[in-house]
Amino acid sequence: MTTETKTESAVESVKRASNYLRGDLANDLTNENLSVTNDSEQLLKFHGIYAQDNRDVRRERTLAGQAVDYIFMIRVVVPGGRLSSEQWLALDDISSSIADGSIRLTTRQAVQFHGVVKGDLRDLARSLDRQFLSSFGGCGDVVRNVVTCPTLQLENGHGPLEGIAGQLRETFRSTSEAHWEIFVNGEKAVSREQFEERPFYGETYLPRKFKIAVAHPRDNCVDVFAQDVGLIPGEHRDVGVGFTLLVGGGLGRSYANADTFAHLAQPLTFVTYDETEEVIAAIIATYRDLGNRTDRKRARMKYLIADHGLAAFQEEVEQRLGRQLRAPLKVPRDFDADDHLGWRQLADGTWQVGVRVGAGRVKDVEGGATLRSALRHIATNHAVTFFITPQQDLIVSGVSEVDRDVIDALFQEHRVRLDGELGNVERHALACPALPTCSQALTEAERRLPELVAGLEDALQRRQLARRPLQLRMTGCPNGCARPAIAEIGVVGRTKSTYDLYLGGRTRGDRLASLYREKVTLEEIPDILGPLFDRWSAEGELDESFGDFVNRVGFS
Ligand code: SRM
Ligand code: SF4
């Protein structure tokens, strides 16, 4: 496999010159400016921080000759989405004292804070550090938050898989003293280990972000086919338990570059538990060495594999590994996605309850549900563990039998609706943050999700289809942060007020949706889908999902 030599992208030069992610950050964070330089913006991403501005007031401020309203987003790494009560309380404190009053759960089981001002970034980092948490590596060209099905961690009998997200995070964490020097004041931080710069990443790190997820053997809630590396637990006749390892998934596209596309990960090999890290290391090294460092729009590993073929990629991995890879197993048949909502009893007799959060935004709504307060109360008074799900929801686990009623009553008091009270579109709907914080957003997503959900639920109700689950995912641009490219209905921002409509994915997550209509308004969508809902009702097979139905009959 050869790569063309072209001029490296500007971000590569910034990384190389940064002395392992230091650059001029120390000065830039303490000067009087409300913003940071362009180079610092790039480096901050590796520290889990995005420079943003409040786009709701951008225009009026610009017209008034004022600077934009600079704010920062901080993404906290939470391997497998697991948090203790103490950690939850610390995040809750940060949300009210430093951020915009909300805790945003992400589609990769992490936590984001929005609306933070520059002068508070260090306080925030120190507060996280006191709880053994960090934003370091939340963004940037490194291995991102490792996603794991909560059930692997909650259900007894998964042995080493219960802690696999944390273990992979440790192994593939980029280790730079810079984060602690700059953000935690160089003091010996409680969560800090003794480490040196990890030669593995080198001074230019990876060409782009790198995503890993571990599915449950029967539950693909993590969307394992959307990952750079996906792991599906299984048992091999000859070598015993391990994973079918998939490579080359990724869902982002760009309207400006027709040569970008969403792609599903493909099976590469089967690895035993013991082999997993060294094989992933060889895959990452292949990507590090051969990935595109000239054009960031085509720098994800999926393009390396698509351009050169899986066989050539495999050869490169084998060369770095020093041995051949064994063939993968087939993807399991009884593989679907659980939303983890509602009450369930665990093997130790305690209970878990999965709560729908709504686009991941944990907050108190004036005159409405006060979810943040309810969760704060639970974290203060009950010894529970929290799990963020890859569907932006939250599981409270370890609830004793006697506390079940107490927690049910608490949710009722705070107007938090549990699974039985949710509509069937609402229950499965995801949306990215989009406006007003995301710099890439072309349209609204999270803020207008409730309106679209209501429109679709109404359309289903009118056809006596309200009991049928329907998976909706909405994003403000084709980067695809809520994974619309594999949804039954994907609504993707196209222009300021229009969306492209994709149909035909499924909850199993192993099929790309196809473009159905371009440039439609949100208001039009329920009516556009009406005739397809009619056909689904009349011609759909028993329990055939909408995604499977439209995929079978086509879009006529
Ligand atoms: Fe994402 C960029 C939010 C999951 C593909 N994503 C962004 C940024 C940072 C915008 C930016 O670059 O300035 C968004 C921050 C908005 C804000 O105001 O908070 C953002 N992405 C999110 C989150 C918060 C969406 C959510 O609703 O939860 C998710 C955070 C995940 C995490 O905890 O690490 C999030 N992003 C995803 C996913 C889904 C996944 O990983 O399972 C994808 C599609 C899968 C993939 O990577 O292919 C995704 N985000 C992107 C891309 C397109 C990358 C590409 O290959 O082209 C971008 C743009 C970029 O990287 O330049 C992006
Ligand atoms: Fe922003 Fe686009 Fe991701 Fe939505 S999909 S958060 S608009 S980058």
Side-chain angles (χ1 to χ4, degrees), residues 55 104 431-435 438-443 445 474-482 484:
R55 294 181 59 185
R104 177 58 159 72
C432 73
L435 294 169
C438 180
S439 63
Q440 316 257 334
L442 301 167
T443 52
M474 178 180 189
T475 58
C477 87
N479 282 327
C481 298

